[in-house]
Amino acid sequence: MASPLPSSAAGVSVLDLAPVLPVVVVRDADDAVPLARALVAGGLPAIEVTLRTPAALDAVRRIAAEVPEAVVGAGTVIAPEQVTACVAAGARFLVSPGWTDGLLVAMRASGVPFLPGVSTATEVLALLERGVREMKFFPAQAAGGTACLRSLAGPLPQARFCPTGGVGPDNAAEYLSLPNVGCVGGSWMVPAEAVAGRDWGRVEELARGAAALAGRSAETSSVRAAGGTCR
């Protein structure tokens, strides 16, 4: 089994590898390697390949084998049997839109980091009781967005999140400015038309812009702390 994270990231959470976790849908496994290389070149080393297409596991396998500087993970993991297949393919982390006890047991037993999905305080509490502190907040905008996460930070400061769903370049910095958000998930840096046209230069450019959001989120936090507003 491959190590969950590269040696250079030893002791580092998936939430801390980059400000944005690209959520990628790969329809042609031949696109996986150049797509991953473009994202890494743009400053986004952690890549979530969603299990939404027949090519997904092959895409994970190819990225793991041919792009060692990438930290490839599998997303949309919804069944225990998928956990085994993803790790066997080389996934170094797992992401689910929600969780059940069975799925949680399988993800914990996998030996790789995982982000189970939550959208309510009750779900967060249930995971905290089970020793899980890092989670995916999904669907972020529909579940209350930054206002909800800001409210959760008060009573549940030990929980950290990767908000995904409705997060884009216009609101990502606001999410990233929150103390309980480690990174955000999104797909705006891998637009379908760019992938279909194999315009890897555009993907790299968009990835570079997403990676730069770390600086913008710091500015937003500073303005808020000073009592001002950021627009």
Side-chain angles (χ1 to χ4, degrees):
M1 181 189 300
S3 61
L5 297 177
S7 58
S8 62
V12 177
S13 163
V14 172
L15 297 181
D16 297 323
L17 290 176
V20 179
L21 176 62
V23 179
V24 176
V25 178
V26 179
R27 303 190 183 282
D28 185 342
D30 288 340
D31 293 334
V33 169
L35 176 60
R37 286 175 175 159
L39 290 170
V40 170
L44 301 180
I47 302 168
E48 176 189 337
V49 177
T50 62
L51 301 184
R52 300 180 189 176
T53 69
L57 282 178
D58 195 18
V60 170
R61 190 174 296 110
R62 294 193 190 190
I63 295 171
E66 300 182 44
V67 193
E69 61 272 33
V71 182
V72 63
T76 321
V77 178
I78 59 174
E81 58 269 22
Q82 291 178 319
V83 172
T84 302
C86 290
V87 175
R92 297 190 176 188
F93 64 91
L94 306 168
V95 184
S96 65
W99 66 278
T100 64
D101 282 324
L103 180 58
L104 190 65
V105 168
M107 290 193 294
R108 194 190 297 274
S110 71
V112 302
F114 55 92
L115 298 174
V118 297
S119 61
T120 68
T122 299
E123 292 170 317
V124 175
L125 280 171
L127 284 178
L128 290 174
E129 281 187 355
R130 291 160 173 78
V132 179
R133 296 191 174 190
E134 297 187 343
M135 313 165 195
K136 172 180 179 174
F137 183 63
F138 176 84
Q141 282 293 94
T146 56
C148 181
L149 286 168
R150 192 175 294 113
S151 296
L152 289 174
L156 303 171
Q158 63 271 52
R160 297 181 72 219
F161 302 95
C162 173
T164 306
V167 180
D170 293 334
N171 60 7
E174 184 178 1
Y175 276 100
L176 290 167
S177 71
L178 300 178
N180 56 349
V181 170
C183 69
V184 299
S187 58
W188 73 89
M189 74 298 300
V190 285
E193 66 274 14
V195 176
R198 296 180 172 171
D199 188 352
W200 310 128
R202 184 181 177 202
V203 171
E204 181 179 341
E205 179 183 1
L206 291 170
R208 186 167 288 109
L213 287 170
R216 287 180 55 195
S217 67
E219 292 175 4
T220 302
S221 296
S222 297
V223 170
R224 183 175 291 118
T229 58
C230 183
R231 302 186 185 279

